[in-house]
Each structure stands twice: as C-alpha cells, then as structure tokens.
Amino acid sequence: MPDHAKEILHCLKDKYFKELEDLEVDGQKVEVPQPLSWYPEELAWHTNLSRKILRKSPQLEKFHQFLVSETESGNISRQEAVSMIPPLLLSVQPHHKILDMCAAPGSKTTQLIEMLHADMNVPFPEGFVIANDVDNKRCYLLVHQAKRLSSPCIMVVNHDAASIPRLQVDVGGRKEALFYDRVLCDVPCSGDGTMRKNIDVWKKWTTLNSLQLHGLQLRIATRGAEQLAEGGRMVYSTCSLNPIEDEAVIAALLEKSEGALELADVSSELPGLKWMPGITQWKVMTKDGQWFASWDNVPHNRHTQIRPTMFPPKDPAKLEAMNLARCLRILPHHQNTGGFFVAVLVKKFSMPWNKHQAKPQNTCVEMRESVKPSLVDPTEGRAVAPSALESKPVTEIGDTEIMENLENDGNKRDGVCGPPPSKKMKLFGFKEDPFVFIPDDDPLFPPIQKFYALDPSFPKMNLLTRTTEGKKRHLYMVSKELRNVLLNNSERMKVINTGIKVWCRNNSSEDCAFRLTQEGIYTLYPFINSRIITVSMEDVKILLTQENPFLRKLSSEAYSQAKDLVKGSIILKYEPDPRDPGGLGCPVVLCGWRGKTSIRAFVPKNERLHYLRMMGLEVLGEKRTEGTAPADELAASPEPAASPEQPEGEASAARTEGAGSPGGPPGDA
C-alpha cells in the first residue's frame, strides 16, 4: 500500500470513524463504516449513512465534507461496492496495456489507473489504460473522473465498443497490431440488479430489455476478445442477474471461440466475497410472458426478437466443458449490495477468424527503414476506411482485413495527431483540437530545461500541446507507450483526452515563461534538479493557510534555500521526520511560486484541505490571515485577475482549450 493511502486510511480510522462511535442522531445510534472483507488491505469501506442523516449532526457534516473534498481531490472514490469487483479480478500489473470498453462514468477506470501506479516512485509505468465510451457527453464525465488521478497513462476515446478500431503501434520500426493484456467489458445492461437503489428499474423493466441488449452485449464481448492478447485476461460484467445477458452471452462467446477462450476459476481470488456459481440451464421469456426452453420451440415470427445464442448449448458434453459454474453471481441479500454478474475469460490462442494475421507489406517496411526515425515521427497516416468496418458484422472483421486496409497518406505533419477525418464522427459532440508533440528543435524547451535543471533522462519527446498555431499556453505529457499509440492511430481513433498538464505559460518570470502545475508535479519532480525547497511540517501549514506569506515566516532552513532564488515557479518538498511519529508519514510535493518578498503554495483548494487534514488540521474553508505579501506582489503572482488562464485545478488535463464540457455528477454512486 502506498504511503499516501496509508495516511488517508489512518486519518479515516483514527479520526473520523472514532468520532462516529457512540454518536446518536434522533435517538438512533449511528452505524460506523465497515471495511469490505473481500477488498485487499482495507482500502474499501461501506457506509449506510444517508445524506439526510449526514447533515443532521455537526460530526457527520464534517465527515460528509471530508468525503466530498477528498473525492474531488482524487484521494477517494465513491461507488457501488460490487462494481469494484471487475478491476480486482483483472489482476492488473503496472506493465499491462488495458482496454476499458464501456468506461463511463469512470469509477472502474480510476481503479485501473490506481493499479498501474501501484509503485508511486515510478512516474511513467509501462502500461496504460485506453478508456472508451460510445456516448460523447459521458466521455467528458469520464475525463473528469480520470483527471482527478493525474496520470500520464490514460487516454479517453469515443467509439462504439462493438466496432472499436484495431490500433497499431511501432515496434522496432515495424507497424504491429496492438493487443491488450487486459480488457474490461462492463457492458450496457438492463440494470435489474440495481433495483434496490434505482426506482426507474421498477417502472421500466420488461423481459424485452434483455432480448434487445443480448446481441449488443455479445458483439462488444466478441470485439474485446479479438483485441485481447494471447494469455491475456478479459472480465465481462453486468449489473443484471438475467441469464440472457449473462451466461447466454458467455456461452455463445465460448462456442464461437472454438477453444480460444476459457473461463478462469477465480473462486479463491477474493476471499470473503459471497457469490453463487453461474447457472447452466435457463429459459427465454417474451414480453407477453411466453416461455421457450429451446430454439427449436421458437415460432418463425419470433426469430427476429429471439436468437439461438440466447439458449444454453444443447450438447451436454459441450455445456459441461464450458464450466459456466465458474461465473460469479453476486446476490443483493448476501452482503447488502447490488446484484452483479462477473465472468473472467482467458485467451489461449487467436480467435478462429483471426488466425491468419497479415504482416505489414514489405514495401512499407523498406520505406520506413530508408528514413531515419526522429523524435517526432510522422504518423504515416495509415487508416481503416470506416465504411469497410461498418459494412460487415463485427465477428467477421479479422486482423487480416484490417491490416490489408491500412493505407499510406504522405500529407501528415510530423508529430501532429489530428482528429479523425470521418465526417460522420464530426457531426456530434465537441470538436477536439489536435495533439501536437513538441519538435526536438523547438526553441521553447531549452529555457525550461535550463531553469529547472531537468535531468538528461527527461523524456521531452513525450511533451505535447493542443494547438498547431500561435503561442503554446499549456504543455502536457504522456507516457512513451501512449505517444506511440497517438502517433500511429490518429486517423482511426477519436481521442477525447489524454495527457497530464505539467507546465502553463506565465510571463511573470523573465527567466522562464512556463510555471509548474500541481496536477503534474509528481510526474515532473523526479526529473527536476533545481528550485526545490525542503520545508518542515510547520512551513507546509503556513503555506497552505496563508495566501502569500513573507519569506521570513518560513523556518530558517527553508528561508536560506529560498532567499537566493530568482522569481518564478518552485517545488516545495516535505520529507517525513522519522523522529516525529505523530507527524505526517508520507512525502509531500507542492507546486509553489517565489515572489519578490514572499512565497506561496500553488495548490487547488481541495488539495490544500486534504494536506491540512493529514496534518491534523480541520479547515472548513481557506483561511485569510494577516502578514501576507503587499498588493503589488499579488499582481505579479502567477494567477493575476486579468490572466486568460484558468485557475489551477479547474482546467481539465489536455482538454480542448476554450471548449465547454457538459456537467454531470462526479461518480456513479
């Protein structure tokens, strides 16, 4: 468990939960939150407290504010307990390439990102998450969720999951199809497992829902299996208990895979979780209440509504070999949760229709080898014609056809990943700006490198902007693996968002036109060798509770480090003191600004409150204290009132500058 998570857990258990013990509201004893027995290391907790009760007592109101503030900071996530299961069963490692096919609103995606960053000392894990959703507006909700975690390893894309394009990457100068180590297939469903909390299900549920969704669910699962690497693991899940959406989809997928897929036995992977095995026999019911036990009994006029894949396999030996009992059915009354279905599939070899994979044409390879690669390679413009994908059922689209449809386009600009050319894709949603990687010889970078004394190992080729013309206002960063994906797929992929904002333009400093951002500080910090001030816990408290404290207010050690620095962006670093067991037990890195006579922390409000809580201070709002810098220095601060930039913590990571974003709730619970 990372040190930061330990501190938050310690704060929850020793402060907030203890205050709830023996507390009564309206004569009723408040139930203290309990850890989920099946979630590792007590990192998930369950509470029955309603909003109404939370607001009736000062202690509960404080706990409620803690939950809201920490959720906004990305330190905790609130979601339905059972929806945490699929990411756990994926068994993600930091080097895994992950596809989340139906990702919005993003609670499972955030779990996957956390697993990639299991080692907080590695700023760029080798793995990444590509989070997809068919709904353009929900993609922005997904961006909001993912942005809280400040990861350079997440990309949000907007496609129909059933026909999500096959991507390719450059491997040693050759284009190869991208296969994912892990695929999360949390498909759209009727939601009958959510009826305890979702009143709409009671009003709108009919047996027709499952009959209409079954085909889509099977197409999405098939596409996920196609894109899964051999030896990889795919989790299929629904919040429905209807076998038409659950075992029927899995059985049909296993049958058409001809042995390429098998159900994994995960019965021992989540000790403490109560579940029922998957079922092997079921019937299909029409909207008017008519039951059918097999496809043979279905009259011809029902064949469009009811399909053969909705029934269990007839052959008993084949049915037994499928091991459908390995599926997990989580029932609401077993653990006071929603109803849920999970199946874990492992891919042993290629799907039958994908076995003969075409290699890239030799002429293309020779052409690539004749041109020496640079840090800003062109995308080479290989694209799949959308019409070619749409004209066939997804089950017939193999890697062979996709690789054969890749075409060259010599008009691409170096390092520029524009939006897809398809007019159909541009007709809805927001128009996204291109992703432009900084050229190797860009004059913008050397002053930054000199000012912050960046380590030679700094991967500057991974820096990008969102504009091809005019001044670059923000610099973003992605991992080298996502850079590879971006450069080689811009023509077939609609990217909504990727990258973490690491620098913002600011002209207050003569030495460097770009200041650091708090959201990118943990990514950049390992590469920065200057302008770092080591501060004490008391210094951190002063910096987070006062707007612009004078330099003299800091400890003598911090003052001596800061007094000779020129005006501009700085890093404030706190290291735990082993001699002080009561102090903050994890390192803290803050973005700051050295003014003429003062110093300030450049941290969004929720993160400010978070760090103060971790140090034992409960602040219900930002304090304004005396002894701050004079007004003329405030005007020279990195965020003057007239600045065209958005305040720190409000701009979304690598979002289109100037484009609005649909609002929405931050989570799904």
Side-chain angles (χ1 to χ4, degrees):
M1 187 194 303
D3 289 341
H4 199 190
K6 282 181 187 171
E7 285 295 314
I8 297 170
L9 184 57
H10 174 74
C11 181
L12 265 173
K13 290 166 74 174
D14 291 8
K15 183 179 178 186
Y16 291 97
F17 293 166
K18 278 199 172 174
E19 288 180 359
L20 302 184
E21 291 175 6
D22 305 320
L23 184 67
E24 289 189 4
V25 177
D26 290 348
Q28 286 192 329
K29 193 173 185 304
V30 170
E31 190 178 331
V32 178
Q34 297 297 319
L36 295 177
S37 60
W38 45 267
Y39 205 100
E41 301 186 271
E42 288 193 339
L43 286 174
W45 292 70
H46 174 78
T47 177
N48 288 322
L49 296 170
S50 68
R51 266 200 191 119
K52 189 177 177 183
I53 293 175
L54 279 170
R55 289 169 179 164
K56 277 197 174 183
S57 159
Q59 290 94 331
L60 288 178
E61 185 186 355
K62 197 160 64 172
F63 178 51
H64 185 234
Q65 286 183 348
F66 167 84
L67 293 177
V68 172
S69 176
E70 294 295 317
T71 300
E72 276 300 307
S73 296
N75 296 313
I76 61 173
S77 293
R78 290 188 284 172
Q79 66 187 103
E80 170 70 59
V82 285
S83 73
M84 301 176 186
I85 295 171
L88 289 177
L89 291 177
L90 275 176
S91 299
V92 170
Q93 299 297 319
H95 63 276
H96 283 157
K97 300 172 182 66
I98 307 163
L99 173 63
D100 190 351
M101 299 189 77
C102 309
S107 56
K108 296 179 186 69
T109 309
T110 56
Q111 268 182 281
L112 297 173
I113 297 169
E114 287 167 7
M115 292 169 181
L116 282 183
H117 291 273
D119 185 352
M120 294 298 290
N121 295 317
V122 179
F124 295 104
E126 289 180 30
F128 55 78
V129 178
I130 293 181
N132 173 70
D133 203 84
V134 68
D135 188 308
N136 185 263
K137 288 185 178 179
R138 280 166 64 88
C139 281
Y140 289 92
L141 183 56
L142 184 53
V143 169
H144 172 77
Q145 283 280 66
K147 176 186 173 291
R148 298 179 306 128
L149 272 70
S150 301
S151 170
C153 305
I154 168 75
M155 180 187 292
V156 176
V157 298
N158 181 202
H159 290 278
D160 177 358
S163 56
I164 190 167
R166 161 79 69 207
L167 303 184
Q168 60 179 3
V169 288
D170 189 298
V171 181
R174 291 185 53 162
K175 297 287 174 69
E176 294 186 5
L178 172 63
F179 290 92
Y180 300 94
D181 302 298
R182 298 288 186 267
V183 174
L184 178 55
C185 199
D186 185 50
V187 295
C189 66
S190 61
D192 58 47
T194 67
M195 62 171 58
R196 295 177 79 195
K197 69 173 184 179
N198 188 353
I199 198 168
D200 274 355
V201 172
W202 293 87
K203 298 175 184 175
K204 299 176 182 176
W205 184 89
T206 74
T207 54
L208 191 61
N209 296 351
S210 297
L211 302 182
Q212 292 172 336
L213 286 164
H214 172 86
L216 173 65
Q217 292 164 337
L218 181 54
R219 289 196 300 275
I220 293 174
T222 302
R223 192 59 181 149
E226 284 180 339
Q227 304 227 13
L228 187 63
E230 291 180 25
R233 183 178 271 211
M234 181 172 96
V235 170
Y236 174 90
S237 62
T238 71
C239 48
S240 167
L241 295 173
N242 192 324
I244 310 303
E245 302 179 59
D246 298 341
E247 286 89 352
V249 173
I250 296 300
L253 184 59
L254 289 171
E255 187 162 6
K256 75 198 300 189
S257 79
E258 297 178 10
L261 299 173
E262 71 173 8
L263 276 167
D265 182 359
V266 294
S267 56
S268 61
E269 293 193 15
L270 293 178
L273 179 68
K274 295 175 184 174
W275 52 275
M276 297 291 286
I279 59 177
T280 55
Q281 293 297 327
W282 60 88
K283 296 178 183 178
V284 178
M285 182 182 178
T286 62
K287 187 179 181 181
D288 52 12
Q290 190 175 0
W291 288 95
F292 296 104
S294 72
W295 170 249
D296 298 335
N297 301 334
V298 180
H300 194 267
N301 65 345
R302 298 276 193 182
H303 280 191
T304 53
Q305 186 185 84
I306 298 175
R307 303 301 301 150
T309 53
M310 296 178 181
F311 295 91
K314 281 184 181 178
D315 185 347
K318 186 183 285 187
L319 182 61
E320 187 180 356
M322 286 182 176
N323 293 310
L324 290 179
R326 290 181 175 177
C327 300
L328 308 184
R329 287 178 154 263
I330 291 97
L331 304 183
H333 61 284
H334 282 172
Q335 293 150 119
N336 191 23
T337 64
F340 211 69
F341 174 86
V342 191
V344 181
L345 296 149
V346 175
K347 189 172 184 179
K348 297 194 289 185
F349 47 83
S350 294
M351 302 296 273
W353 56 91
N354 284 351
K355 281 186 177 174
H356 305 291
Q357 295 177 12
K359 294 179 181 177
Q361 296 177 6
N362 291 334
T363 53
C364 296
V365 176
E366 289 167 7
M367 182 182 71
R368 280 194 297 272
E369 288 175 349
S370 65
V371 181
K372 291 185 179 179
S374 68
L375 292 179
V376 281
D377 295 332
T379 65
E380 301 189 42
R382 303 182 136 209
V384 185
S387 57
L389 289 176
E390 291 162 9
S391 63
K392 301 183 180 182
V394 70
T395 54
E396 295 178 10
I397 300 174
D399 299 336
T400 304
E401 296 164 52
I402 289 178
M403 295 305 284
E404 285 173 354
N405 277 314
L406 300 177
E407 296 175 357
N408 258 345
D409 175 2
N411 299 322
K412 298 296 295 176
R413 282 176 287 179
D414 286 3
V416 178
C417 306
S422 167
K423 288 181 182 177
K424 181 180 175 184
M425 298 182 79
K426 287 184 181 177
L427 288 177
F428 61 91
F430 295 96
K431 183 180 180 296
E432 294 295 329
D433 286 340
F435 297 83
V436 187
F437 284 93
I438 304 293
D440 194 27
D441 57 353
D442 195 315
L444 170 142
F445 186 70
I448 297 175
Q449 190 167 26
K450 182 181 177 184
F451 190 70
Y452 296 104
L454 294 178
D455 194 85
S457 65
F458 178 74
K460 64 180 177 182
M461 68 175 72
N462 299 348
L463 284 174
L464 60 88
T465 65
R466 296 299 302 270
T467 177
T468 52
E469 299 170 358
K471 277 191 173 183
K472 300 173 178 69
R473 284 179 53 199
H474 304 296
L475 298 183
Y476 305 92
M477 198 150 196
V478 293
S479 65
K480 68 176 182 181
E481 288 78 15
L482 274 189
R483 178 184 185 274
N484 193 345
V485 172
L486 268 173
L487 283 175
N488 290 292
N489 298 282
S490 65
E491 294 300 310
R492 70 177 65 84
M493 183 172 64
K494 185 180 178 186
V495 181
I496 298 296
N497 176 280
T498 191
I500 176 176
K501 184 166 62 174
V502 288
W503 278 295
C504 286
R505 181 174 287 279
N506 177 265
N507 297 319
S508 296
S509 171
E510 297 174 5
D511 298 271
C512 182
F514 285 86
R515 65 169 177 83
L516 300 165
T517 69
Q518 182 62 29
E519 67 185 84
I521 201 77
Y522 283 95
T523 301
L524 280 186
Y525 173 71
F527 302 101
I528 294 177
N529 292 312
S530 75
R531 304 192 65 77
I532 300 172
I533 299 173
T534 304
V535 291
S536 66
M537 198 158 100
E538 286 306 311
D539 291 331
V540 174
K541 288 178 183 177
I542 290 170
L543 289 161
L544 294 180
T545 55
Q546 298 183 19
E547 186 62 34
N548 267 40
F550 287 114
L551 283 172
R552 286 287 184 191
K553 284 207 159 193
L554 301 181
S555 63
S556 57
E557 293 84 358
Y559 174 77
S560 63
Q561 297 169 70
K563 63 183 176 64
D564 295 326
L565 292 178
V566 297
K567 189 169 74 168
S569 202
I570 55 171
I571 288 178
L572 302 159
K573 175 71 186 290
Y574 164 78
E575 285 286 358
D577 186 351
R579 298 167 298 180
D580 180 14
L584 188 59
C586 64
V588 175
V589 182
L590 303 177
C591 173
W593 183 265
R594 162 70 158 97
K596 291 176 185 174
T597 59
S598 73
I599 200 163
R600 70 178 292 192
F602 226 48
V603 183
K605 179 181 176 182
N606 281 323
E607 284 195 49
R608 245 174 227 255
L609 300 180
H610 161 71
Y611 288 120
L612 289 171
R613 280 192 199 100
M614 295 302 104
M615 291 183 288
L617 291 178
E618 188 67 40
V619 186
L620 298 180
E622 287 190 287
K623 292 182 180 177
R624 292 287 178 269
T625 54
E626 296 179 4
T628 57
D632 62 338
E633 183 156 338
L634 284 173
S637 74
E639 287 178 1
S643 170
E645 295 176 12
Q646 290 173 294
E648 187 66 38
E650 290 182 12
S652 58
R655 270 289 314 281
T656 304
E657 290 155 19
S661 170
D668 64 351

